Short mmCIF file of all heavy atoms in Angstrom, two decimals:
data_model
loop_
_atom_site.label_atom_id
_atom_site.label_comp_id
_atom_site.label_asym_id
_atom_site.label_seq_id
_atom_site.Cartn_x
_atom_site.Cartn_y
_atom_site.Cartn_z
N VAL A 1 -7.77 -16.35 13.36
CA VAL A 1 -7.19 -15.14 13.77
C VAL A 1 -6.05 -14.72 12.78
O VAL A 1 -5.99 -13.60 12.35
CB VAL A 1 -6.65 -15.23 15.21
CG1 VAL A 1 -5.74 -14.00 15.55
CG2 VAL A 1 -7.78 -15.36 16.22
N ALA A 2 -5.21 -15.71 12.48
CA ALA A 2 -4.15 -15.44 11.56
C ALA A 2 -4.62 -14.99 10.14
O ALA A 2 -4.04 -14.10 9.56
CB ALA A 2 -3.23 -16.69 11.41
N LYS A 3 -5.68 -15.61 9.70
CA LYS A 3 -6.25 -15.28 8.37
C LYS A 3 -6.77 -13.81 8.40
O LYS A 3 -6.61 -13.05 7.37
CB LYS A 3 -7.34 -16.25 7.99
CG LYS A 3 -6.79 -17.60 7.62
CD LYS A 3 -7.91 -18.62 7.43
CE LYS A 3 -7.39 -20.05 7.18
NZ LYS A 3 -8.43 -21.03 7.05
N GLU A 4 -7.43 -13.39 9.50
CA GLU A 4 -7.93 -12.02 9.55
C GLU A 4 -6.75 -11.06 9.77
O GLU A 4 -6.82 -9.94 9.18
CB GLU A 4 -8.88 -11.90 10.76
CG GLU A 4 -10.23 -12.66 10.58
CD GLU A 4 -10.99 -12.22 9.38
OE1 GLU A 4 -10.92 -10.96 9.02
OE2 GLU A 4 -11.74 -13.03 8.80
N MET A 5 -5.71 -11.43 10.43
CA MET A 5 -4.55 -10.58 10.52
C MET A 5 -3.91 -10.45 9.14
O MET A 5 -3.45 -9.32 8.79
CB MET A 5 -3.51 -11.20 11.49
CG MET A 5 -3.96 -11.17 12.95
SD MET A 5 -2.67 -11.94 14.04
CE MET A 5 -1.34 -10.76 13.90
N GLU A 6 -3.87 -11.52 8.40
CA GLU A 6 -3.30 -11.49 7.04
C GLU A 6 -4.09 -10.53 6.16
O GLU A 6 -3.53 -9.80 5.37
CB GLU A 6 -3.35 -12.89 6.45
CG GLU A 6 -3.08 -13.01 4.95
CD GLU A 6 -1.78 -12.38 4.47
OE1 GLU A 6 -0.83 -12.30 5.29
OE2 GLU A 6 -1.72 -11.94 3.33
N LYS A 7 -5.44 -10.48 6.25
CA LYS A 7 -6.25 -9.58 5.50
C LYS A 7 -5.86 -8.12 5.78
O LYS A 7 -5.76 -7.28 4.94
CB LYS A 7 -7.71 -9.79 5.79
CG LYS A 7 -8.30 -11.12 5.22
CD LYS A 7 -9.77 -11.24 5.60
CE LYS A 7 -10.31 -12.57 5.19
NZ LYS A 7 -11.74 -12.74 5.62
N LEU A 8 -5.67 -7.84 7.10
CA LEU A 8 -5.33 -6.48 7.45
C LEU A 8 -3.92 -6.13 7.00
O LEU A 8 -3.69 -4.99 6.56
CB LEU A 8 -5.40 -6.36 9.01
CG LEU A 8 -6.76 -6.44 9.64
CD1 LEU A 8 -6.69 -6.55 11.17
CD2 LEU A 8 -7.59 -5.23 9.24
N LEU A 9 -3.02 -7.05 7.03
CA LEU A 9 -1.64 -6.83 6.52
C LEU A 9 -1.65 -6.60 5.00
O LEU A 9 -0.93 -5.73 4.50
CB LEU A 9 -0.71 -7.99 6.87
CG LEU A 9 -0.39 -8.10 8.35
CD1 LEU A 9 0.38 -9.42 8.62
CD2 LEU A 9 0.54 -6.95 8.79
N ALA A 10 -2.58 -7.30 4.31
CA ALA A 10 -2.67 -7.11 2.87
C ALA A 10 -3.16 -5.72 2.60
O ALA A 10 -2.76 -5.09 1.55
CB ALA A 10 -3.62 -8.19 2.28
N GLN A 11 -4.08 -5.22 3.41
CA GLN A 11 -4.58 -3.89 3.23
C GLN A 11 -3.46 -2.84 3.38
O GLN A 11 -3.35 -1.84 2.67
CB GLN A 11 -5.72 -3.57 4.19
CG GLN A 11 -6.99 -4.31 3.92
CD GLN A 11 -8.06 -4.13 4.98
OE1 GLN A 11 -7.97 -3.24 5.80
NE2 GLN A 11 -9.10 -4.98 4.98
N ILE A 12 -2.59 -3.10 4.37
CA ILE A 12 -1.51 -2.22 4.68
C ILE A 12 -0.56 -2.21 3.49
O ILE A 12 -0.08 -1.18 3.03
CB ILE A 12 -0.79 -2.60 5.98
CG1 ILE A 12 -1.71 -2.37 7.18
CG2 ILE A 12 0.53 -1.88 6.13
CD1 ILE A 12 -1.16 -2.88 8.47
N ILE A 13 -0.25 -3.41 2.99
CA ILE A 13 0.65 -3.54 1.80
C ILE A 13 0.04 -2.80 0.61
O ILE A 13 0.78 -2.06 -0.08
CB ILE A 13 0.90 -5.04 1.47
CG1 ILE A 13 1.69 -5.69 2.63
CG2 ILE A 13 1.63 -5.16 0.14
CD1 ILE A 13 1.82 -7.18 2.46
N HIS A 14 -1.22 -2.97 0.36
CA HIS A 14 -1.91 -2.30 -0.77
C HIS A 14 -1.81 -0.78 -0.61
O HIS A 14 -1.52 -0.09 -1.60
CB HIS A 14 -3.33 -2.72 -0.78
CG HIS A 14 -4.14 -2.12 -1.89
ND1 HIS A 14 -3.97 -2.47 -3.24
CD2 HIS A 14 -5.06 -1.09 -1.90
CE1 HIS A 14 -4.81 -1.74 -3.99
NE2 HIS A 14 -5.45 -0.91 -3.19
N ARG A 15 -2.06 -0.29 0.64
CA ARG A 15 -2.01 1.15 0.89
C ARG A 15 -0.57 1.69 0.67
O ARG A 15 -0.38 2.69 0.10
CB ARG A 15 -2.47 1.42 2.31
CG ARG A 15 -2.61 2.94 2.60
CD ARG A 15 -3.37 3.14 3.90
NE ARG A 15 -2.74 2.57 5.04
CZ ARG A 15 -3.28 1.52 5.73
NH1 ARG A 15 -4.37 0.98 5.32
NH2 ARG A 15 -2.65 1.05 6.78
N GLU A 16 0.40 0.95 1.18
CA GLU A 16 1.81 1.35 1.02
C GLU A 16 2.23 1.40 -0.50
O GLU A 16 2.87 2.36 -0.87
CB GLU A 16 2.75 0.40 1.74
CG GLU A 16 2.66 0.56 3.25
CD GLU A 16 3.50 -0.51 4.00
OE1 GLU A 16 3.94 -1.47 3.33
OE2 GLU A 16 3.70 -0.33 5.21
N LYS A 17 1.77 0.44 -1.26
CA LYS A 17 2.08 0.39 -2.67
C LYS A 17 1.43 1.61 -3.39
O LYS A 17 2.00 2.23 -4.30
CB LYS A 17 1.58 -0.94 -3.28
CG LYS A 17 2.47 -2.11 -2.99
CD LYS A 17 2.02 -3.37 -3.66
CE LYS A 17 2.97 -4.51 -3.37
NZ LYS A 17 2.51 -5.78 -4.05
N ALA A 18 0.18 1.95 -3.00
CA ALA A 18 -0.56 3.07 -3.61
C ALA A 18 0.18 4.32 -3.27
O ALA A 18 0.33 5.25 -4.10
CB ALA A 18 -1.98 3.13 -3.08
N GLU A 19 0.69 4.46 -1.99
CA GLU A 19 1.39 5.69 -1.63
C GLU A 19 2.71 5.77 -2.41
O GLU A 19 3.11 6.85 -2.82
CB GLU A 19 1.68 5.63 -0.09
CG GLU A 19 0.42 5.85 0.73
CD GLU A 19 0.66 5.61 2.24
OE1 GLU A 19 1.81 5.21 2.55
OE2 GLU A 19 -0.23 5.83 3.05
N GLU A 20 3.41 4.67 -2.58
CA GLU A 20 4.66 4.67 -3.35
C GLU A 20 4.39 5.05 -4.77
O GLU A 20 5.18 5.82 -5.35
CB GLU A 20 5.33 3.26 -3.33
CG GLU A 20 5.86 2.87 -1.91
CD GLU A 20 6.36 1.41 -1.91
OE1 GLU A 20 6.27 0.78 -2.94
OE2 GLU A 20 6.82 0.98 -0.83
N GLN A 21 3.33 4.54 -5.35
CA GLN A 21 3.00 4.92 -6.76
C GLN A 21 2.68 6.39 -6.87
O GLN A 21 3.06 7.08 -7.77
CB GLN A 21 1.79 4.07 -7.24
CG GLN A 21 1.41 4.31 -8.67
CD GLN A 21 0.30 3.42 -9.18
OE1 GLN A 21 -0.13 2.55 -8.44
NE2 GLN A 21 -0.15 3.66 -10.35
N HIS A 22 1.92 6.88 -5.86
CA HIS A 22 1.54 8.31 -5.89
C HIS A 22 2.82 9.16 -5.79
O HIS A 22 3.00 10.14 -6.52
CB HIS A 22 0.65 8.60 -4.70
CG HIS A 22 0.24 10.07 -4.55
ND1 HIS A 22 -0.60 10.70 -5.44
CD2 HIS A 22 0.67 11.02 -3.68
CE1 HIS A 22 -0.69 11.96 -5.15
NE2 HIS A 22 0.06 12.20 -4.03
N GLU A 23 3.76 8.76 -4.87
CA GLU A 23 5.03 9.50 -4.75
C GLU A 23 5.86 9.44 -6.02
O GLU A 23 6.45 10.48 -6.46
CB GLU A 23 5.84 8.93 -3.58
CG GLU A 23 5.20 9.25 -2.23
CD GLU A 23 5.95 8.60 -1.07
OE1 GLU A 23 6.97 7.82 -1.37
OE2 GLU A 23 5.54 8.71 0.07
N ALA A 24 5.87 8.24 -6.67
CA ALA A 24 6.60 8.11 -7.97
C ALA A 24 6.06 9.00 -9.04
O ALA A 24 6.79 9.63 -9.77
CB ALA A 24 6.61 6.67 -8.37
N GLU A 25 4.69 9.04 -9.12
CA GLU A 25 4.02 9.86 -10.10
C GLU A 25 4.27 11.33 -9.87
O GLU A 25 4.47 12.14 -10.79
CB GLU A 25 2.53 9.55 -10.12
CG GLU A 25 2.19 8.18 -10.68
CD GLU A 25 0.72 7.83 -10.55
OE1 GLU A 25 0.00 8.57 -9.84
OE2 GLU A 25 0.27 6.81 -11.13
N ALA A 26 4.24 11.75 -8.62
CA ALA A 26 4.48 13.11 -8.25
C ALA A 26 5.99 13.57 -8.63
O ALA A 26 6.21 14.63 -9.10
CB ALA A 26 4.26 13.34 -6.77
N LEU A 27 6.89 12.62 -8.34
CA LEU A 27 8.31 12.89 -8.64
C LEU A 27 8.46 13.00 -10.15
O LEU A 27 9.21 13.85 -10.67
CB LEU A 27 9.19 11.77 -8.08
CG LEU A 27 10.67 11.99 -8.16
CD1 LEU A 27 11.12 13.20 -7.42
CD2 LEU A 27 11.39 10.74 -7.60
N ARG A 28 7.84 12.08 -10.91
CA ARG A 28 7.89 12.12 -12.36
C ARG A 28 7.34 13.43 -12.88
O ARG A 28 7.91 14.02 -13.83
CB ARG A 28 7.17 10.89 -12.95
CG ARG A 28 7.37 10.76 -14.46
CD ARG A 28 7.11 9.35 -14.95
NE ARG A 28 5.83 8.88 -14.48
CZ ARG A 28 5.65 7.85 -13.63
NH1 ARG A 28 6.70 7.26 -13.13
NH2 ARG A 28 4.41 7.48 -13.32
N ALA A 29 6.22 13.86 -12.41
CA ALA A 29 5.59 15.11 -12.79
C ALA A 29 6.51 16.26 -12.49
O ALA A 29 6.65 17.19 -13.31
CB ALA A 29 4.24 15.25 -12.15
N GLU A 30 7.16 16.20 -11.38
CA GLU A 30 8.12 17.29 -10.96
C GLU A 30 9.27 17.38 -12.00
O GLU A 30 9.68 18.47 -12.45
CB GLU A 30 8.60 17.10 -9.58
CG GLU A 30 9.52 18.18 -9.07
CD GLU A 30 10.05 17.91 -7.69
OE1 GLU A 30 9.30 17.18 -6.90
OE2 GLU A 30 11.15 18.34 -7.30
#
C-alpha cells in the first residue's frame, strides 16, 4: 500500500515540478 501511495506522490511531485517550470518559462518570456 505504501509503495503504491509513493508512486502517486511521485506523480504529484512530477506534476508540480512541471507546473513550476511552465510558470518560470512564462515569467521569463514575459
